[in-house]
Amino acid sequence: MVQMELNLATALSDKGSALAASDVIPVIAVPKGIMVMNAGIEVVTASDGSTFTVDVGMVDADVFVDGFDATSAAGVLSQNPAAYQPVMAVAADNIDVTIATLSGGAVSSGLFRVWAVLMDCTDEGDLTAQEVARDVA
């Protein structure tokens, strides 16, 4: 498992203007040949937005999380959408947090833990047992 913190104050500073619906924030880099078995988001510190939801995904923006309330209390974890399935990275990609909805005032704070369970599916090479000195002595 890997995890990263997403600090909305930092995302706001990096963007240089107000966060808005449809903004995509790359959070976890996923190399080619890695299968993302699952991913999600947890509120560490609630956001200050009034109506604010996010999605978590890769090729499909909401494959892992769809419409998570980013103003939830600390400790609230996301649930997978009904159409959830693992995703294979056929090229280098990112797990992104996309701002799905944002209204009722600007967002300037909020801290989230974004996590993913990854499985390396790249070729492991020759897995045939090899002879060593003790086998032939």
Side-chain angles (χ1 to χ4, degrees):
M1 186 184 91
V2 297
Q3 64 183 22
M4 297 293 289
E5 282 194 342
L6 170 58
N7 185 325
L8 292 179
T10 303
L12 176 64
S13 173
D14 289 349
K15 182 179 177 190
S17 62
L19 296 173
S22 300
D23 281 353
V24 177
I25 305 166
V27 182
I28 298 174
V30 180
K32 177 182 176 181
I34 301 295
M35 180 173 284
V36 181
M37 302 303 293
N38 203 350
I41 191 167
E42 175 185 13
V43 177
V44 176
T45 305
S47 165
D48 58 353
S50 60
T51 301
F52 180 26
T53 62
V54 297
D55 298 336
V56 178
M58 286 175 53
V59 175
D60 180 357
D62 59 3
V63 68
F64 302 118
V65 176
D66 185 14
F68 180 71
D69 184 354
T71 63
S72 297
V76 173
L77 287 159
S78 61
Q79 296 292 317
N80 292 120
Y84 159 75
Q85 62 183 2
V87 175
M88 175 60 78
V90 295
D93 202 345
N94 293 306
I95 295 173
D96 301 317
V97 172
T98 301
I99 298 176
T101 60
L102 178 58
S103 60
V107 171
S108 60
S109 66
L111 183 63
F112 303 93
R113 179 178 71 95
V114 180
W115 57 267
V117 178
L118 308 176
M119 182 169 55
D120 188 346
C121 295
T122 57
D123 186 2
E124 295 292 325
D126 182 10
L127 298 178
T128 306
Q130 303 296 313
E131 284 187 351
V132 295
R134 72 167 188 276
D135 296 336
V136 293

